[in-house]
Amino acid sequence: MNIRRDCLFYAAFLTKRYTKAHPSSSIATLPTQGMEESTLMDIEAKQNALGGGAINEKPRVYNTNNDPIVNGKDRDISSNSWNPSDELSHMLHALVGLDRYPNYLSRFQQFSDINSLEKALEARLSDVRRQKSEIAERRADIRQLVRGYILSESEGDLGKDSYNCSELWCDHPLLSPPKTWTELREKKVLTDQAFKVCYRSIDSTSNARKAKSKKRTNSLPTLEDIIHGKVQVHLDPSLLEEWMNQEMYDVYSFPLLTNEFCSLLRKTVRELSILAESDEFSHLQFGRRPIDLDTIGLGWVTDLLFHMFIQPLSLHLFARTEKLVDDDVDLGPSTLDWRQGYVAGYSSDPKEYEGTQRHRLVPHTDDSEVTLNCCLGDEFKGGSVEFYGLRGTPREGHFVGKIDRPNVGTAILHSGRNLHAVSNVSSGDRYALIVWSRSWSHTRLNTCPCCCLNRRQDSTCICNRRWN
Ligand SMILES: O=C(O)CCC(=O)C(=O)O
Ligand SMILES: [Fe+2]
C-alpha cells in the first residue's frame, strides 16, 4: 500500500492556507501591543495582583472537612483525619504555586496544615536525593561494565574512569559515532533507501539555499551537526512515497537500518547483559529492563534517528494530530525536542542475562508524541505489533491491524497514543529498538503529562478540577 498523498501534503496545504496574520497569543490582542516587554510584564503583574492570581488566595480551612470531595472520591466527612499534604493538588501547588500566587500559603488557616505540607515536601526532597545518588552510582557501574566489554573486545587501553560512557566508544571500529556522510555509509548503519532519502533531501535543501544566497561554498550540513541537532532536516515529500508504506490508519513503515547494524546492536545488548551477570555487576540487574542507549553510551544512534528521520517525518505526518504546531501557524521547525531510545528484548524463553525480558507486551500507549519502532531481529516466531486505535477517538480499543515481524531493519512510525501491543513470541528471541519522542516546548507546554497522554478533557484528573 502506498503512503497516503493527502497526509503527506496536508501540511504543505495548511502552510499555504494560513498566514501569520492571525496571531493566536492573547497578549498580542491586548491594546498594549508593541509596548516594551517590561511594561507588559508590569501590567500583567498588576492585573494578577488585583483580579488575577490573588483571587485564588481565598482562605481555605482544610481540616474542618468542609469539602467532601477529594480526588473525585467521597471523603468521610465525619473524620478529621486528612491534611493538605495528602492531596496531590496541594503538593503540586506548593511546588509551582508559590511563584504564581505569592501569598499561596495564606489560604492555609491552620499553621499545622503548613507544617504538614512542609514535612511532606521534605520527605519528597530526601527521596529525590536518595534516587539521585543511586542513579549516579548505577551510571558509574554501567560505565565500568561498558568499559570492560569494549576492552575485552579491543585489548586496548581506554584510560581512566573519568571517561563518560559515550567517549568509551570513540575508537570502536563500528559503534563510534560516524563523523562524515562517507563514514555513515561505510559503517552500513542505514539502508541504501534511507540514506538516499536523507542525503538527497539535505543536498537539495542546501542547493536551494546556496542559489538563494548566491554563495559558492559547499553548504551541505555536516553529519555531526545533524546528529547534535544543530541543523533542522527537511525530508523531500517526493522521495518519501517510494520509501514508505502506510500500513494502516496513521501507522507508517519504511526500511531504516541494515541487517548488519541490527545484528551489531543485538549482539552488543546481548553480550553486555551476559557480562553484567558477573558478581561485580549482578547488583545492577542490567538485563531486567529494556536497555537505554544513552546509559550504555550509544545515544548517538538515538540522536541520528531522531534528528534525521523522526523530527522531519513527524512534521509531515503528525504535526496537526499530535499538536506539534498550532493550527493557525506555519509548520516551521519541528517541536519534537526530547527523545529516549532503548532496546527491548522478548523471547519464548525470556532470560535477563540475554537482555530478553518478556514473552509479549500488553496493549498500551507510549509516553511519547511519536514513537519509532525498528525490528532488530533475531530469528523468532510471533511478536507481531498490533494496533488498537488512537486514544481519545472512537476507534480506541478496536483492533485496527497488525504488522508481522521479523522484518529486520524495518521501522514503524506511529503516534504514541495509538494503542499497541506485541503478541506472544512463540519461538526464538526478538529485539526491537524503540525511540520515544516528545514535544515539551509545544504539545506538553501547558498540559499535565497524564492528561496529555490520555487526551483527557474532563475533570477526572487531579490537575484539572482540583488544580485551583
Ligand atoms: O517491541 C515492540 O515492538 C514494541 C515495544 C513498545 O511498544 C514499547 O516499548 O513501548
Ligand atoms: Fe509502546
Side-chain angles (χ1 to χ4, degrees), residues 342 361 364-366 371 373 414 416 418 420-421 434 436:
Y342 57 90
L361 191 56
H364 64 283
T365 50
D366 297 336
T371 296
N373 171 340
H414 62 85
N418 203 335
H420 56 286
I434 311 292
W436 284 7

Side-chain angles (χ1 to χ4, degrees), residues 270-290:
R270 213 177 169 113
E271 291 179 351
L272 276 170
S273 307
I274 292 171
L275 193 62
E277 282 295 295
S278 68
D279 287 349
E280 192 186 351
F281 299 111
S282 59
H283 63 282
L284 291 173
Q285 302 189 314
F286 183 75
R288 178 171 279 196
R289 304 202 41 83

Side-chain angles (χ1 to χ4, degrees), residues 229-468:
K230 291 186 184 154
V231 179
Q232 172 91 39
V233 174
H234 296 279
L235 295 181
D236 179 350
S238 67
L239 298 169
L240 299 182
E241 278 205 57
E242 223 180 275
W243 178 50
M244 300 179 82
N245 268 331
Q246 184 172 20
E247 295 283 346
M248 64 198 82
Y249 179 76
D250 233 18
V251 179
Y252 306 88
S253 74
F254 41 94
L256 181 66
L257 299 178
T258 62
N259 270 333
E260 289 91 330
F261 195 70
C262 291
S263 123
L264 183 63
L265 274 185
R266 217 166 57 216
K267 171 174 166 287
T268 308
V269 161
R270 213 177 169 113
E271 291 179 351
L272 276 170
S273 307
I274 292 171
L275 193 62
E277 282 295 295
S278 68
D279 287 349
E280 192 186 351
F281 299 111
S282 59
H283 63 282
L284 291 173
Q285 302 189 314
F286 183 75
R288 178 171 279 196
R289 304 202 41 83
I291 290 161
D292 190 305
L293 293 186
D294 285 320
T295 330
I296 59 170
L298 293 177
W300 71 263
V301 178
T302 316
D303 282 329
L304 178 85
L305 300 181
F306 179 67
H307 291 115
M308 212 177 249
F309 299 106
I310 302 175
Q311 277 188 333
L313 287 176
S314 299
L315 269 187
H316 283 304
L317 303 169
F318 302 110
R320 307 287 166 193
T321 52
E322 298 317 308
K323 303 195 187 318
L324 302 178
V325 292
D326 289 326
D327 282 342
D328 56 355
V329 295
D330 290 351
L331 279 187
S334 172
T335 62
L336 287 175
D337 47 20
W338 180 95
R339 90 294 174 281
Q340 183 193 7
Y342 57 90
V343 175
Y346 306 70
S347 175
S348 53
D349 178 19
K351 295 188 183 84
E352 282 168 22
Y353 64 81
E354 289 182 346
T356 55
Q357 301 95 24
R358 322 165 170 128
H359 294 103
R360 67 194 175 92
L361 191 56
V362 294
H364 64 283
T365 50
D366 297 336
D367 193 359
S368 69
E369 268 64 86
V370 177
T371 296
L372 180 134
N373 171 340
C374 187
C375 180
L376 299 179
D378 196 354
E379 283 174 17
F380 61 87
K381 290 212 173 83
S384 306
V385 189
E386 300 168 342
F387 287 89
Y388 292 90
L390 285 182
R391 180 154 276 178
T393 69
R395 286 180 202 236
E396 174 177 343
H398 300 284
F399 178 73
V400 179
K402 67 180 173 113
I403 299 176
D404 287 332
R405 300 300 212 185
N407 37 8
V408 179
T410 296
I412 305 171
L413 197 68
H414 62 85
S415 138
R417 68 191 168 101
N418 203 335
L419 267 169
H420 56 286
V422 177
S423 68
N424 201 41
V425 172
S426 53
S427 75
D429 294 341
R430 171 197 192 275
Y431 294 88
L433 167 61
I434 311 292
V435 182
W436 284 7
S437 317
R438 294 186 193 153
S439 165
W440 286 106
S441 63
H442 204 270
T443 312
R444 293 178 187 235
L445 192 61
N446 293 311
T447 319
C448 147
C450 80
C451 285
C452 168
L453 191 63
N454 293 299
R455 288 297 187 275
R456 247 186 233 131
Q457 272 151 27
D458 56 22
S459 60
T460 54
C461 180
I462 185 71
C463 66
N464 201 335
R465 189 161 61 96
R466 302 291 305 175
W467 181 246
N468 274 314

